[in-house]
Amino acid sequence: MARKKIIAGNWKMNMTPSEAVALVNTLKPLVVNDEVDVVFCVPAIDIIPVLQAAEGSNIQVGAENMYYEEKGAYTGEISPAMLTDVGVKYVVLGHSERREYFAETDATVNKKVLKAFEHGITPIICCGETLTQREQGVTMDFIRQQVKIAFQGVTADQAKTAVIAYEPIWAIGTGKTATTAQAQEVCAGIRACIAEVYDEATAEAIRIQYGGSVNAATAPELFAQPDIDGGLVGGASLKPDFGKIVNYK
Ligand code: 13P
């Protein structure tokens, strides 16, 4: 069965709740495309207003992060139950910005992935190399390690429903999209890694996105690659351009 594409916006730390509602109202008529899953991953404070504004559309709402404990004395964190209670279906985990600025590690990402599955939330698990790693020729070694640790303890049935976002760090927010060949090569490598860890059926089912300076011009070729099942879009998800990305065909 063909994998359904998943195109997600990652708003990062942008959009106040009132700006968020205005953006959803602008994008709503532009992202009508039942053939793809459309997810807006938004700051925690925007989740409820975005859910309300998106009602009646095919926009699904995701969080940008989540903690791995159930509840308790973890000031400033968001629990999985808080997300599911309002209808959040996806959560971005292990974004390179969280790894760089907020001390996320492969081990904490793994704990969050397990917790997300426990609560029926689909994790969008991020991985990606630095420019130095690419130049040193260790891209695939590094990403295989990130992926293998993120999936420790995850069953094949769970892994089939997961989303992996391959985001080379050097391509994020830089305007430097990876070439289509580079993106396809790594996404194929990630799928092969999943096949090794699990089996072919799991590798065939899991969805792998590319992220890093995706825009309306680069999306069609990227998303046409056999192992690229959509995108995780930063800057361009805050603009009407996102409508063109969702309707990339
Ligand atoms: P940009 O699309 O702004 O490069 O961001 C990519 C990203 O980090 C999405 O998670």
Side-chain angles (χ1 to χ4, degrees), residues 191-214:
R191 202 176 301 286
C193 177
I194 293 293
E196 276 171 45
V197 173
Y198 296 98
D199 48 46
E200 283 299 332
T202 307
E204 278 305 308
I206 200 166
R207 293 188 289 179
I208 305 175
Q209 300 172 312
Y210 167 78
S213 299
V214 173

Side-chain angles (χ1 to χ4, degrees), residues 8 57 89 91-92 104 151 162 166 172 174 179 208 223-224 241 247:
S57 74
K89 301 276 193 307
V91 63
V92 177
E104 291 261 7
F151 280 83
Y166 166 54
I172 294 176
T174 57
T179 65
I208 305 175
F223 299 171
D241 242 28
N247 298 294

Side-chain angles (χ1 to χ4, degrees), residues 70-246:
E70 286 295 320
K71 54 154 64 173
Y74 304 103
T75 302
E77 292 296 315
I78 305 285
S79 78
M82 290 171 188
L83 298 180
T84 53
D85 186 69
V86 296
V88 168
K89 301 276 193 307
Y90 293 89
V91 63
V92 177
L93 295 177
H95 192 279
S96 61
E97 287 150 16
R98 295 221 50 93
R99 294 176 192 256
E100 182 177 355
Y101 306 126
F102 304 101
E104 291 261 7
T105 63
D106 290 338
T108 59
V109 173
N110 174 238
K111 285 185 181 182
K112 291 180 177 191
V113 168
L114 292 170
K115 191 49 87 172
F117 279 123
E118 207 180 292
H119 285 263
I121 306 171
T122 300
I124 299 176
I125 304 161
C126 302
C127 59
E129 81 287 4
T130 62
L131 188 57
T132 308
Q133 287 165 333
R134 178 159 281 273
E135 286 169 353
Q136 290 170 337
V138 299
T139 296
M140 217 50 241
D141 302 289
F142 181 71
I143 287 170
R144 283 169 57 88
Q145 174 161 324
Q146 286 185 319
V147 169
K148 283 184 173 183
I149 297 175
F151 280 83
Q152 300 252 311
V154 173
T155 67
D157 281 345
Q158 290 171 330
K160 283 188 178 101
T161 68
V163 179
I164 298 176
Y166 166 54
E167 300 204 305
I169 294 170
W170 48 272
I172 294 176
T174 57
K176 277 191 220 158
T177 318
T179 65
T180 306
Q182 285 172 326
Q184 161 58 24
E185 184 185 17
V186 176
C187 290
I190 293 170
R191 202 176 301 286
C193 177
I194 293 293
E196 276 171 45
V197 173
Y198 296 98
D199 48 46
E200 283 299 332
T202 307
E204 278 305 308
I206 200 166
R207 293 188 289 179
I208 305 175
Q209 300 172 312
Y210 167 78
S213 299
V214 173
N215 59 42
T218 56
E221 201 179 290
L222 284 163
F223 299 171
Q225 299 309 303
D227 288 294
I228 302 181
D229 305 313
L232 185 57
V233 183
S237 72
L238 302 169
K239 298 187 262 185
D241 242 28
F242 194 60
K244 293 196 189 124
I245 296 174
V246 167

